[in-house]
Amino acid sequence: MSELDPTERLLRSCRGEPVDRPPVWLMRQAGRYLPAYRRVREQVTFLELCRDVDRAVEVSLQPIDEVGSEAVIFFSDIFTPIPGMGVEVDFAPGPVMAEPIRTAAQVEALRVPDPRESVPYVFEIQRTLRRELASREIPLLGFAGAPFTLAAYLVEGSGSRHFGTWKRMLWQEPELARALLARLTEMTVGYLNAQIEAGAHAVQLFDTWAGMLSPAEYREWVQPSHREIAAKVDRSAAPLILYVNDGAHVLEEAAESGADVVSLDWRIDLAEAARRVGSRVSLQGNLDPCALAAPPETIAKLVADLARDAAPARGHILNLGHGCLPETPVEGVRAFIAAAKGLGASA
Ligand code: 1CP
């Protein structure tokens, strides 16, 4: 097959159409492992960086020039749209709520504003990126946090090992938990559709904490919001990628969410995942981010193994199994992307 441009390659892979080789990008590809990011970050706080259109565009583009990534994810955080709902959030370095959400009155007070008004800079960043990327034919990815993961932080008040307060709420005050998830689902649908309108070629939903539930709990507390989002987001304009961290035990449920792509962490082999999902969805992943500390030859072998294992899937996007870590050697990231690009040459 003749060489596709990176946008066409990504969109075709999402939809399970033939490609010359798998596309490649990395979750958290803009961040502290890059000296160029650290230089920008020294001048501003994380929140300022997310709201500063010029700087956010600059760090979003860094992975293209610095490591050769083939997609751009706009620089932001899953908590960016939350202050617009009336919740005060700070970063230290993860999200911290001034007042954790624990009562019905707090849930009822949550607003679902038009994101174009509450976070206009997000769409300005995306429109600018689309213009910057047009000549390079690089796709732009939008994203949002999934309702379950957002709720976990909102109720707990910050990151946590087990999110015990949030999990107790599921059992002690299920109606309150359901109301919170419903509000977040409505916000997420509007937020993703506004990103698609601003030019995102594809959008990713990050469910970092959904994997801590049993399969039955996942079907009750997670899958309904994924399905509602997949049904209401304009997937004809932009495919939906669903990332469920630690989700090998709920792979079938993720494949039946209505998303176009399921993004997996490294705890499952792509060959097994491909067998289990069949032709329902494409796959994304799934190198352990720590493996980027290996020598370049080892990384090249790991990339070839991932591509081979994922070959029976209807489509595959090469990526990590979770976000790139701050300690990651830049050379390891370059080796990962170079190996992915080399897959076409040997095919
Ligand atoms: O100090 C700094 O420079 C801030 C560190 C940082 C960065 C670089 C945070 C705070 N967020 C981000 C960017 C970010 N976060 C992106 C940017 C785009 C990219 O390059 O991929 C994205 C997509 C996210 C998404 C995100 N934030 C998730 C979901 C994905 C995942 O990694 O699991 C989650 C759970 C968060 C919360 C968050 N924000 C920041 C931190 C340190 C955390 C984790 C908090 C914790 O639970 O410990």
Side-chain angles (χ1 to χ4, degrees), residues 133-169:
L133 293 170
S135 61
R136 311 199 228 189
E137 294 168 320
I138 296 265
L140 173 65
L141 302 172
F143 72 90
F148 185 87
T149 287
L150 292 173
Y153 286 96
L154 286 168
V155 171
E156 208 69 39
S158 66
S160 151
R161 202 166 143 77
H162 299 296
F163 287 94
T165 314
W166 166 232
K167 282 183 85 174
R168 271 193 304 282
M169 186 187 279

Side-chain angles (χ1 to χ4, degrees), residues 25-32 37 41 46 73-79 91 93-95 143 149 153 159-160 163 206 208-209 243 322-323:
W25 68 283
L26 289 84
M27 289 190 272
R28 292 264 178 114
Q29 63 184 13
R32 277 183 294 164
Y37 172 83
R41 181 65 175 77
F46 176 66
I73 182 161
F74 83 103
F75 190 82
S76 195
D77 192 75
I78 58 170
F79 270 80
F91 284 86
F143 72 90
T149 287
Y153 286 96
S160 151
F163 287 94
F206 283 94
T208 305
W209 297 106
Y243 172 70
H322 201 166

